[in-house]
Amino acid sequence: MSANTQGMPMAPVAPIGIFDSGIGGLSVLQHIHQDLPHEDLLYFADSAYAPYGDKSEAEISARSLAVTEFLLQRGVKALVVACNTATTAAIKAIRTAYPELPVIGIEPGLKPAAAQSRSKIVGVLATRATLLSARLLTLQQQISAASGVQFELQACVGLVDQIEKGELRSAQTALLLRRYIAPLITQGADTLVLGCTHYPFVRPQIEKIVGEMTAQPVAIIDTGAAVSRQLSKVLSENNLLHGPARTGQVNAFTSGSQSALRTTFANLLQLHPPVSVVATIAQPTGIS
Ligand code: DGL
């Protein structure tokens, strides 16, 4: 059995921690809640610090470690980094700091996209930090070399802010989406990767805009469901799955607005968890 940060054994009854720079991770939480309905989930939205995608790798890593420590203090048995940007910047540091903790990250689905693209041109929508990371560059080069697929990378600056504001269908959001998607379609992409967990919440708008730009079918790849499957597998391998005789509870924390997170849970997931505001979280000691 694994041990938590205090050296205590992790128990199957303990909750699963999930975090994102804001509300994006809810697009992953919805899969986990469906697939593992008996599990208690603790969600941390670091909305006061969103977007992570415009910050340096050192800042994202420090913040991710602090949020991880906060969730560990609440006894989580596993951690889902439900943020592509935090995964690319910080998952190594999290695993190094907490070697006993099962940690599942999310990365843009370049591999499934390459496997199913016929035009061999794949558009990747993600944050600037994700697209500039060494981790993504390596992944992209490996998959391109093996498959001959060309990846067109598009940083969607400003899109996370719009989604955090709840502006899923506004004219400004549509304008940004058009601006970011048009060059990818023009270059012949037949597959678009949603490389940020906020973007599934504007997927209907993306599909509509793509439909207006081309008559060709364009596939959209989102890795939220795969993360949930990987979490189930890891929990099962570690004998950490909660028994079936109960309904799991969701509890949420935010460094931003309580009412905004409540509204988002209700509007996007039809869930009504208690939401606590966390004004400050300390940087864990001994981690630089
Ligand atoms: N949901 C985060 C991701 O998957 C958004 C990052 C941000 O805050 O910029 O990348």
Side-chain angles (χ1 to χ4, degrees):
M1 188 180 277
S2 314
N4 68 11
T5 183
Q6 281 91 35
M8 299 291 286
M10 287 173 189
V13 294
I16 297 162
I18 304 169
F19 84 89
D20 176 54
S21 63
I23 62 166
L26 295 187
S27 69
V28 180
L29 180 142
Q30 67 184 351
H31 291 288
I32 296 172
H33 192 55
Q34 265 165 30
D35 296 346
L36 298 169
H38 320 301
E39 301 288 346
D40 292 331
L41 308 179
L42 299 188
Y43 185 81
F44 193 104
D46 201 12
S47 295
Y49 288 81
Y52 279 5
D54 299 342
K55 299 192 165 51
S56 71
E57 199 160 293
E59 283 174 291
I60 301 164
S61 189
R63 201 60 204 165
S64 299
L65 283 164
V67 173
T68 300
E69 178 67 21
F70 174 88
L71 290 168
L72 272 167
Q73 296 293 340
R74 274 142 199 88
V76 298
K77 62 183 175 185
L79 179 75
V80 178
V81 183
C83 175
N84 293 264
T85 311
T87 299
T88 50
I91 200 161
K92 256 196 192 159
I94 295 172
R95 288 191 170 129
T96 304
Y98 307 103
E100 302 287 340
L101 179 70
V103 181
I104 291 92
I106 185 163
E107 284 180 305
L110 303 194
K111 214 171 168 184
Q116 68 93 60
S117 171
R118 294 170 317 280
S119 69
K120 300 275 179 203
I121 300 170
V122 168
V124 184
L125 303 164
T127 68
R128 190 158 43 195
T130 296
L131 296 179
L132 288 176
S133 69
R135 207 178 158 97
L136 191 92
L137 186 69
T138 308
L139 188 68
Q140 183 199 334
Q141 284 170 345
Q142 281 169 352
I143 297 172
S144 279
S147 64
V149 162
Q150 179 187 329
F151 292 102
E152 297 296 338
L153 309 182
Q154 179 62 61
C156 301
V157 177
L159 189 54
V160 164
D161 288 314
Q162 290 298 109
I163 297 167
E164 282 288 313
K165 283 190 277 179
E167 287 197 28
L168 306 184
R169 287 170 213 86
S170 74
Q172 175 62 17
T173 301
L175 194 74
L176 283 179
L177 287 172
R178 264 178 231 288
R179 183 186 302 159
Y180 295 140
I181 293 168
L184 304 176
I185 299 299
T186 305
Q187 284 166 91
D190 68 350
T191 306
L192 295 181
V193 174
L194 304 186
C196 167
T197 54
H198 281 74
Y199 303 167
F201 292 125
V202 288
R203 182 174 179 152
Q205 289 78 341
I206 293 173
E207 284 170 344
K208 184 166 174 278
I209 287 168
V210 168
E212 289 162 5
M213 288 177 181
T214 175
Q216 301 303 316
V218 174
I220 298 192
I221 306 287
D222 163 25
T223 42
V227 168
S228 178
R229 286 195 296 275
Q230 178 64 10
L231 172 66
S232 302
K233 185 169 168 267
V234 169
L235 290 178
S236 167
E237 283 167 1
N238 287 278
N239 296 318
L240 284 173
L241 279 172
H242 205 302
R246 69 193 293 278
T247 304
Q249 302 298 309
V250 180
N251 278 279
F253 302 90
T254 179
S255 57
S257 154
Q258 184 184 47
S259 61
L261 188 56
R262 269 200 193 125
T263 306
T264 306
F265 260 102
N267 289 350
L268 298 182
L269 304 191
Q270 291 74 53
L271 289 175
H272 305 277
V275 175
S276 309
V277 174
V278 181
T280 49
I281 49 174
Q283 173 71 14
T285 49
I287 296 171
S288 57

